Amino acid sequence: MSRVTEQRQIILEAFKKGYHPTAEELLRKLRVSNPNFSRATLYRNLALFCENGKLQKISAVGQTDRYAINTGCHYHVVCERCGRVEDLDMFNPLQNPPKLLEYTINYHELTFYGLCPKCQQKAKK
Ligand SMILES: [Zn+2]
Ligand SMILES: [Zn+2]
């Protein structure tokens, strides 16, 4: 296995459903077993994986980007205040709009933004 392939595999294997790290959180995790893992390599591959649909980038205004493994029908809700990300499991809520049927779809993403229960409590006080 080439070094590049190996590094890509190490990155993807670090992900599982429910894990939505920032790049720096992921780097810390990778360096536990690969102390010399390069930050530049990680950032380059994160960009590549987002381009080819293996990973999904979750961006919220004022928050550091987070990354999630792309596992099909798996959506996210993001708290715009504390940056918490949670999984939503639901079937396609778009109910096949006619326009979609004209395309072959490779993947899709859907993210909801708002305030988590904890931040709603804090906002009330
Ligand atoms: Zn919150
Ligand atoms: Zn997720």
Side-chain angles (χ1 to χ4, degrees):
M1 208 189 325
S2 80
R3 192 170 145 72
V4 172
T5 313
E6 194 182 355
Q7 285 175 326
R8 289 186 184 158
Q9 210 160 42
I10 288 170
I11 295 170
L12 285 181
E13 278 170 4
F15 279 92
K16 55 181 188 304
K17 197 162 167 294
Y19 180 54
H20 312 109
T22 63
E24 291 301 314
E25 283 169 2
L26 183 60
L27 186 64
R28 276 199 293 279
K29 178 177 166 139
L30 294 175
R31 283 186 173 167
V32 172
S33 36
N34 307 274
N36 299 317
F37 206 97
S38 128
R39 176 178 275 111
T41 301
L42 177 63
Y43 278 79
R44 197 168 52 240
N45 281 297
L46 285 175
L48 181 85
F49 288 144
C50 288
E51 242 169 67
N52 68 19
K54 285 202 165 60
L55 293 181
Q56 185 184 339
K57 182 155 88 175
I58 307 166
S59 308
V61 177
Q63 301 289 343
T64 309
D65 290 341
R66 292 180 174 275
Y67 297 86
I69 192 91
N70 219 328
T71 54
C73 287
H74 155 206
Y75 305 113
H76 294 107
V77 59
V78 181
C79 178
E80 294 175 298
R81 189 158 300 174
C82 69
R84 170 179 178 183
V85 175
E86 291 194 272
D87 286 332
L88 299 171
D89 292 296
M90 58 164 105
F91 192 64
N92 186 356
L94 303 176
Q95 295 180 325
N96 298 327
K99 196 82 213 163
L100 266 186
L101 300 177
E102 297 171 13
Y103 288 72
T104 54
I105 304 299
N106 296 322
Y107 76 99
H108 67 277
E109 37 185 77
L110 180 62
T111 306
F112 299 84
Y113 297 93
L115 278 186
C116 75
K118 268 190 191 161
C119 290
Q120 287 177 55
Q121 280 302 324
K122 275 187 212 155
K124 274 182 204 157
K125 278 172 200 165

CSV table of all heavy atoms in Angstrom, one decimal, residues 64-107:
chain,number,residue,atom,x,y,z
A,64,THR,N,-16.1,26.5,14.2
A,64,THR,CA,-15.0,25.8,13.4
A,64,THR,C,-15.7,24.7,12.6
A,64,THR,O,-16.6,24.0,13.2
A,64,THR,CB,-14.0,25.2,14.4
A,64,THR,OG1,-13.6,26.2,15.3
A,64,THR,CG2,-12.8,24.6,13.6
A,65,ASP,N,-15.3,24.5,11.4
A,65,ASP,CA,-15.9,23.5,10.6
A,65,ASP,C,-15.7,22.1,11.2
A,65,ASP,O,-14.7,21.8,11.8
A,65,ASP,CB,-15.2,23.4,9.2
A,65,ASP,CG,-15.6,24.6,8.4
A,65,ASP,OD1,-16.6,25.3,8.7
A,65,ASP,OD2,-14.9,24.9,7.4
A,66,ARG,N,-16.7,21.3,11.1
A,66,ARG,CA,-16.6,19.9,11.6
A,66,ARG,C,-16.8,18.9,10.4
A,66,ARG,O,-17.4,19.3,9.4
A,66,ARG,CB,-17.7,19.6,12.7
A,66,ARG,CG,-17.4,20.4,13.9
A,66,ARG,CD,-18.5,20.1,15.0
A,66,ARG,NE,-18.0,20.8,16.2
A,66,ARG,CZ,-17.2,20.2,17.1
A,66,ARG,NH1,-16.7,19.0,16.9
A,66,ARG,NH2,-16.8,20.9,18.2
A,67,TYR,N,-16.4,17.7,10.6
A,67,TYR,CA,-16.5,16.7,9.5
A,67,TYR,C,-17.2,15.5,9.9
A,67,TYR,O,-17.1,15.1,11.1
A,67,TYR,CB,-15.0,16.4,9.0
A,67,TYR,CG,-14.3,17.5,8.5
A,67,TYR,CD1,-13.6,18.4,9.3
A,67,TYR,CD2,-14.4,17.8,7.1
A,67,TYR,CE1,-13.0,19.5,8.8
A,67,TYR,CE2,-13.7,19.0,6.6
A,67,TYR,CZ,-13.0,19.8,7.5
A,67,TYR,OH,-12.4,20.9,7.0
A,68,ALA,N,-17.9,14.9,9.0
A,68,ALA,CA,-18.7,13.7,9.3
A,68,ALA,C,-18.5,12.7,8.2
A,68,ALA,O,-18.4,13.1,7.0
A,68,ALA,CB,-20.2,14.0,9.5
A,69,ILE,N,-18.5,11.4,8.5
A,69,ILE,CA,-18.5,10.4,7.5
A,69,ILE,C,-19.8,10.4,6.7
A,69,ILE,O,-20.8,10.6,7.4
A,69,ILE,CB,-18.1,9.0,8.1
A,69,ILE,CG1,-17.7,8.0,7.0
A,69,ILE,CG2,-19.2,8.5,9.0
A,69,ILE,CD1,-16.3,8.0,6.7
A,70,ASN,N,-19.8,10.2,5.4
A,70,ASN,CA,-21.0,10.2,4.6
A,70,ASN,C,-21.6,8.9,4.6
A,70,ASN,O,-21.1,8.0,3.9
A,70,ASN,CB,-20.7,10.7,3.2
A,70,ASN,CG,-21.7,11.7,2.7
A,70,ASN,OD1,-22.9,11.5,3.1
A,70,ASN,ND2,-21.4,12.6,1.9
A,71,THR,N,-22.7,8.6,5.3
A,71,THR,CA,-23.2,7.3,5.4
A,71,THR,C,-24.7,7.3,4.8
A,71,THR,O,-25.5,6.5,5.3
A,71,THR,CB,-23.3,6.8,6.8
A,71,THR,OG1,-24.0,7.8,7.6
A,71,THR,CG2,-21.9,6.6,7.4
A,72,GLY,N,-24.9,8.1,3.8
A,72,GLY,CA,-26.3,8.0,3.2
A,72,GLY,C,-27.3,8.8,4.0
A,72,GLY,O,-27.0,10.0,4.2
A,73,CYS,N,-28.4,8.2,4.3
A,73,CYS,CA,-29.5,8.9,5.0
A,73,CYS,C,-29.1,9.3,6.4
A,73,CYS,O,-29.5,8.6,7.4
A,73,CYS,CB,-30.8,8.1,4.9
A,73,CYS,SG,-31.5,8.1,3.3
A,74,HIS,N,-28.4,10.3,6.6
A,74,HIS,CA,-27.9,10.7,7.9
A,74,HIS,C,-27.7,12.2,7.8
A,74,HIS,O,-26.9,12.7,7.1
A,74,HIS,CB,-26.6,9.9,8.1
A,74,HIS,CG,-25.6,10.4,9.0
A,74,HIS,ND1,-24.3,10.1,8.9
A,74,HIS,CD2,-25.7,11.3,10.1
A,74,HIS,CE1,-23.6,10.7,9.8
A,74,HIS,NE2,-24.4,11.4,10.5
A,75,TYR,N,-28.5,12.9,8.6
A,75,TYR,CA,-28.5,14.3,8.5
A,75,TYR,C,-28.1,14.9,9.9
A,75,TYR,O,-28.0,14.2,10.9
A,75,TYR,CB,-29.9,14.9,8.2
A,75,TYR,CG,-30.5,14.3,7.0
A,75,TYR,CD1,-31.6,13.4,7.0
A,75,TYR,CD2,-29.9,14.5,5.7
A,75,TYR,CE1,-32.1,12.9,5.8
A,75,TYR,CE2,-30.4,14.0,4.6
A,75,TYR,CZ,-31.5,13.1,4.6
A,75,TYR,OH,-32.0,12.6,3.5
A,76,HIS,N,-27.8,16.2,9.9
A,76,HIS,CA,-27.2,16.8,11.1
A,76,HIS,C,-28.1,18.0,11.5
A,76,HIS,O,-28.7,18.7,10.7
A,76,HIS,CB,-25.8,17.3,10.8
A,76,HIS,CG,-24.9,16.1,10.6
A,76,HIS,ND1,-24.3,15.8,9.4
A,76,HIS,CD2,-24.4,15.2,11.5
A,76,HIS,CE1,-23.6,14.8,9.5
A,76,HIS,NE2,-23.6,14.4,10.8
A,77,VAL,N,-28.1,18.2,12.9
A,77,VAL,CA,-28.6,19.4,13.4
A,77,VAL,C,-27.4,20.1,14.2
A,77,VAL,O,-26.7,19.4,14.9
A,77,VAL,CB,-29.9,19.2,14.3
A,77,VAL,CG1,-29.6,18.2,15.5
A,77,VAL,CG2,-30.4,20.5,14.8
A,78,VAL,N,-27.2,21.3,14.0
A,78,VAL,CA,-26.1,22.0,14.5
A,78,VAL,C,-26.6,23.2,15.4
A,78,VAL,O,-27.4,23.9,15.0
A,78,VAL,CB,-25.2,22.7,13.4
A,78,VAL,CG1,-24.0,23.4,13.9
A,78,VAL,CG2,-24.8,21.7,12.4
A,79,CYS,N,-26.0,23.3,16.6
A,79,CYS,CA,-26.3,24.4,17.5
A,79,CYS,C,-25.4,25.6,17.1
A,79,CYS,O,-24.2,25.4,17.1
A,79,CYS,CB,-26.1,24.1,19.0
A,79,CYS,SG,-26.4,25.5,20.0
A,80,GLU,N,-26.0,26.7,16.7
A,80,GLU,CA,-25.2,27.8,16.3
A,80,GLU,C,-24.5,28.5,17.4
A,80,GLU,O,-23.6,29.3,17.2
A,80,GLU,CB,-26.1,28.8,15.5
A,80,GLU,CG,-26.7,28.2,14.2
A,80,GLU,CD,-27.7,29.1,13.6
A,80,GLU,OE1,-28.7,29.4,14.2
A,80,GLU,OE2,-27.4,29.6,12.5
A,81,ARG,N,-24.9,28.2,18.6
A,81,ARG,CA,-24.2,28.9,19.7
A,81,ARG,C,-23.0,28.1,20.2
A,81,ARG,O,-21.9,28.6,20.4
A,81,ARG,CB,-25.2,29.1,20.9
A,81,ARG,CG,-24.6,30.0,21.9
A,81,ARG,CD,-25.7,30.7,22.8
A,81,ARG,NE,-26.5,31.6,22.0
A,81,ARG,CZ,-27.6,32.2,22.5
A,81,ARG,NH1,-27.9,32.1,23.8
A,81,ARG,NH2,-28.3,33.0,21.7
A,82,CYS,N,-23.2,26.8,20.6
A,82,CYS,CA,-22.1,26.1,21.2
A,82,CYS,C,-21.4,25.1,20.2
A,82,CYS,O,-20.4,24.5,20.5
A,82,CYS,CB,-22.6,25.3,22.4
A,82,CYS,SG,-23.7,23.9,22.0
A,83,GLY,N,-21.9,25.0,19.0
A,83,GLY,CA,-21.3,24.2,17.9
A,83,GLY,C,-21.6,22.7,18.0
A,83,GLY,O,-21.0,21.9,17.3
A,84,ARG,N,-22.4,22.3,19.0
A,84,ARG,CA,-22.8,20.9,19.1
A,84,ARG,C,-23.4,20.4,17.9
A,84,ARG,O,-24.3,21.1,17.3
A,84,ARG,CB,-23.7,20.8,20.3
A,84,ARG,CG,-24.4,19.5,20.5
A,84,ARG,CD,-25.3,19.7,21.8
A,84,ARG,NE,-26.1,18.5,22.1
A,84,ARG,CZ,-26.9,18.4,23.1
A,84,ARG,NH1,-27.2,19.5,23.8
A,84,ARG,NH2,-27.6,17.3,23.3
A,85,VAL,N,-23.1,19.2,17.5
A,85,VAL,CA,-23.6,18.5,16.3
A,85,VAL,C,-24.2,17.2,16.6
A,85,VAL,O,-23.6,16.4,17.4
A,85,VAL,CB,-22.5,18.3,15.2
A,85,VAL,CG1,-23.1,17.5,14.0
A,85,VAL,CG2,-21.9,19.6,14.7
A,86,GLU,N,-25.5,17.0,16.2
A,86,GLU,CA,-26.1,15.7,16.5
A,86,GLU,C,-26.6,15.1,15.2
A,86,GLU,O,-26.9,15.8,14.2
A,86,GLU,CB,-27.2,15.8,17.5
A,86,GLU,CG,-26.7,16.2,18.9
A,86,GLU,CD,-27.7,16.0,20.0
A,86,GLU,OE1,-28.5,17.0,20.2
A,86,GLU,OE2,-27.8,14.9,20.5
A,87,ASP,N,-26.7,13.7,15.2
A,87,ASP,CA,-27.2,13.0,14.0
A,87,ASP,C,-28.7,13.0,14.1
A,87,ASP,O,-29.4,12.9,15.1
A,87,ASP,CB,-26.7,11.5,14.1
A,87,ASP,CG,-25.3,11.4,13.7
A,87,ASP,OD1,-24.8,12.3,13.0
A,87,ASP,OD2,-24.6,10.5,14.2
A,88,LEU,N,-29.3,13.0,12.9
A,88,LEU,CA,-30.7,12.8,12.7
A,88,LEU,C,-30.9,11.7,11.7
A,88,LEU,O,-30.3,11.7,10.6
A,88,LEU,CB,-31.4,14.1,12.0
A,88,LEU,CG,-31.3,15.4,12.8
A,88,LEU,CD1,-31.8,16.5,11.8
A,88,LEU,CD2,-32.2,15.3,14.0
A,89,ASP,N,-31.6,10.7,12.1
A,89,ASP,CA,-31.9,9.6,11.2
A,89,ASP,C,-33.3,9.7,10.6
A,89,ASP,O,-34.2,9.7,11.4
A,89,ASP,CB,-31.7,8.2,11.9
A,89,ASP,CG,-30.2,8.0,12.2
A,89,ASP,OD1,-29.4,7.9,11.3
A,89,ASP,OD2,-29.9,7.9,13.4
A,90,MET,N,-33.4,9.9,9.4
A,90,MET,CA,-34.7,10.1,8.8
A,90,MET,C,-34.7,9.7,7.3
A,90,MET,O,-33.6,9.8,6.7
A,90,MET,CB,-35.3,11.5,9.0
A,90,MET,CG,-34.5,12.5,8.4
A,90,MET,SD,-35.4,14.1,8.2
A,90,MET,CE,-34.7,15.0,9.6
A,91,PHE,N,-35.8,9.3,6.8
A,91,PHE,CA,-35.8,9.0,5.4
A,91,PHE,C,-35.9,10.3,4.6
A,91,PHE,O,-36.2,11.4,5.2
A,91,PHE,CB,-37.0,8.1,5.1
A,91,PHE,CG,-36.9,7.5,3.7
A,91,PHE,CD1,-35.8,6.7,3.3
A,91,PHE,CD2,-37.8,7.8,2.7
A,91,PHE,CE1,-35.7,6.2,2.1
A,91,PHE,CE2,-37.7,7.3,1.4
A,91,PHE,CZ,-36.6,6.5,1.1
A,92,ASN,N,-35.6,10.3,3.3
A,92,ASN,CA,-35.6,11.5,2.5
A,92,ASN,C,-36.8,12.4,2.7
A,92,ASN,O,-37.9,12.0,2.3
A,92,ASN,CB,-35.5,11.0,1.0
A,92,ASN,CG,-35.4,12.2,0.1
A,92,ASN,OD1,-35.4,13.4,0.6
A,92,ASN,ND2,-35.2,12.0,-1.1
A,93,PRO,N,-36.7,13.5,3.3
A,93,PRO,CA,-37.8,14.4,3.6
A,93,PRO,C,-38.2,15.2,2.4
A,93,PRO,O,-39.2,15.9,2.4
A,93,PRO,CB,-37.3,15.3,4.7
A,93,PRO,CG,-35.9,15.4,4.5
A,93,PRO,CD,-35.4,14.1,3.8
A,94,LEU,N,-37.5,15.1,1.3
A,94,LEU,CA,-37.8,15.9,0.1
A,94,LEU,C,-38.8,15.3,-0.8
A,94,LEU,O,-39.3,15.9,-1.7
A,94,LEU,CB,-36.5,16.1,-0.6
A,94,LEU,CG,-35.4,16.8,0.2
A,94,LEU,CD1,-34.1,16.9,-0.7
A,94,LEU,CD2,-35.8,18.2,0.7
A,95,GLN,N,-39.2,14.0,-0.5
A,95,GLN,CA,-40.2,13.3,-1.2
A,95,GLN,C,-40.1,13.4,-2.7
A,95,GLN,O,-41.1,13.8,-3.4
A,95,GLN,CB,-41.6,13.8,-0.8
A,95,GLN,CG,-41.9,13.4,0.7
A,95,GLN,CD,-43.2,13.9,1.2
A,95,GLN,OE1,-43.7,15.0,0.8
A,95,GLN,NE2,-43.8,13.2,2.0
A,96,ASN,N,-38.9,13.1,-3.2
A,96,ASN,CA,-38.7,13.1,-4.7
A,96,ASN,C,-39.3,14.2,-5.5
A,96,ASN,O,-40.2,14.0,-6.3
A,96,ASN,CB,-39.3,11.7,-5.2
A,96,ASN,CG,-38.5,10.6,-4.6
A,96,ASN,OD1,-37.3,10.7,-4.3
A,96,ASN,ND2,-39.2,9.5,-4.5
A,97,PRO,N,-38.9,15.4,-5.3
A,97,PRO,CA,-39.3,16.5,-6.1
A,97,PRO,C,-39.0,16.1,-7.6
A,97,PRO,O,-38.0,15.6,-7.9
A,97,PRO,CB,-38.5,17.7,-5.7
A,97,PRO,CG,-37.6,17.3,-4.6
A,97,PRO,CD,-37.8,15.8,-4.3
A,98,PRO,N,-39.9,16.4,-8.5
A,98,PRO,CA,-39.8,16.0,-9.9
A,98,PRO,C,-38.4,16.3,-10.5
A,98,PRO,O,-37.9,15.5,-11.3
A,98,PRO,CB,-40.9,16.7,-10.6
A,98,PRO,CG,-41.9,17.0,-9.6
A,98,PRO,CD,-41.2,17.2,-8.3
A,99,LYS,N,-37.9,17.5,-10.1
A,99,LYS,CA,-36.6,17.9,-10.7
A,99,LYS,C,-35.5,16.9,-10.4
A,99,LYS,O,-34.6,16.6,-11.2
A,99,LYS,CB,-36.2,19.3,-10.1
A,99,LYS,CG,-35.2,20.0,-10.8
A,99,LYS,CD,-35.7,20.7,-12.0
A,99,LYS,CE,-34.7,20.8,-13.2
A,99,LYS,NZ,-35.4,21.1,-14.5
A,100,LEU,N,-35.6,16.3,-9.2
A,100,LEU,CA,-34.6,15.3,-8.7
A,100,LEU,C,-34.6,14.1,-9.6
A,100,LEU,O,-33.6,13.5,-9.8
A,100,LEU,CB,-34.9,14.9,-7.3
A,100,LEU,CG,-34.1,15.6,-6.2
A,100,LEU,CD1,-34.4,14.9,-4.9
A,100,LEU,CD2,-32.6,15.6,-6.4
A,101,LEU,N,-35.8,13.7,-10.1
A,101,LEU,CA,-35.9,12.5,-10.9
A,101,LEU,C,-35.2,12.6,-12.2
A,101,LEU,O,-34.9,11.6,-12.9
A,101,LEU,CB,-37.4,12.1,-11.1
A,101,LEU,CG,-38.1,11.9,-9.8
A,101,LEU,CD1,-39.6,11.6,-10.1
A,101,LEU,CD2,-37.5,10.8,-9.0
A,102,GLU,N,-34.9,13.8,-12.6
A,102,GLU,CA,-34.2,14.0,-13.9
A,102,GLU,C,-32.7,13.8,-13.8
A,102,GLU,O,-32.0,13.7,-14.7
A,102,GLU,CB,-34.4,15.4,-14.4
A,102,GLU,CG,-35.9,15.7,-14.7
A,102,GLU,CD,-36.1,17.2,-15.0
A,102,GLU,OE1,-35.1,18.0,-15.2
A,102,GLU,OE2,-37.3,17.6,-15.0
A,103,TYR,N,-32.2,13.6,-12.5
A,103,TYR,CA,-30.8,13.5,-12.3
A,103,TYR,C,-30.5,12.1,-11.8
A,103,TYR,O,-31.3,11.4,-11.2
A,103,TYR,CB,-30.3,14.5,-11.2
A,103,TYR,CG,-30.3,15.9,-11.6
A,103,TYR,CD1,-31.5,16.6,-11.8
A,103,TYR,CD2,-29.1,16.6,-11.8
A,103,TYR,CE1,-31.5,17.9,-12.2
A,103,TYR,CE2,-29.1,17.9,-12.2
A,103,TYR,CZ,-30.3,18.6,-12.4
A,103,TYR,OH,-30.3,19.9,-12.8
A,104,THR,N,-29.2,11.7,-12.0
A,104,THR,CA,-28.7,10.5,-11.2
A,104,THR,C,-28.0,11.2,-10.0
A,104,THR,O,-27.2,12.1,-10.2
A,104,THR,CB,-27.8,9.6,-11.9
A,104,THR,OG1,-26.7,10.4,-12.4
A,104,THR,CG2,-28.4,8.9,-13.0
A,105,ILE,N,-28.4,10.8,-8.8
A,105,ILE,CA,-27.9,11.4,-7.6
A,105,ILE,C,-26.8,10.6,-7.0
A,105,ILE,O,-26.9,9.4,-6.8
A,105,ILE,CB,-29.0,11.6,-6.5
A,105,ILE,CG1,-30.2,12.4,-7.1
A,105,ILE,CG2,-28.5,12.3,-5.3
A,105,ILE,CD1,-29.9,13.8,-7.6
A,106,ASN,N,-25.6,11.2,-6.7
A,106,ASN,CA,-24.5,10.5,-6.1
A,106,ASN,C,-24.6,10.6,-4.6
A,106,ASN,O,-24.4,9.6,-3.9
A,106,ASN,CB,-23.2,11.1,-6.6
A,106,ASN,CG,-23.0,10.8,-8.1
A,106,ASN,OD1,-23.4,9.8,-8.6
A,106,ASN,ND2,-22.5,11.8,-8.8
A,107,TYR,N,-24.9,11.8,-4.1
A,107,TYR,CA,-25.1,11.9,-2.7
A,107,TYR,C,-25.8,13.2,-2.4
A,107,TYR,O,-25.9,14.1,-3.3
A,107,TYR,CB,-23.8,11.9,-1.9
A,107,TYR,CG,-22.9,13.1,-2.0
A,107,TYR,CD1,-22.9,14.1,-1.0
A,107,TYR,CD2,-22.1,13.3,-3.1
A,107,TYR,CE1,-22.2,15.2,-1.1
A,107,TYR,CE2,-21.3,14.5,-3.2
A,107,TYR,CZ,-21.4,15.4,-2.2
A,107,TYR,OH,-20.6,16.6,-2.3
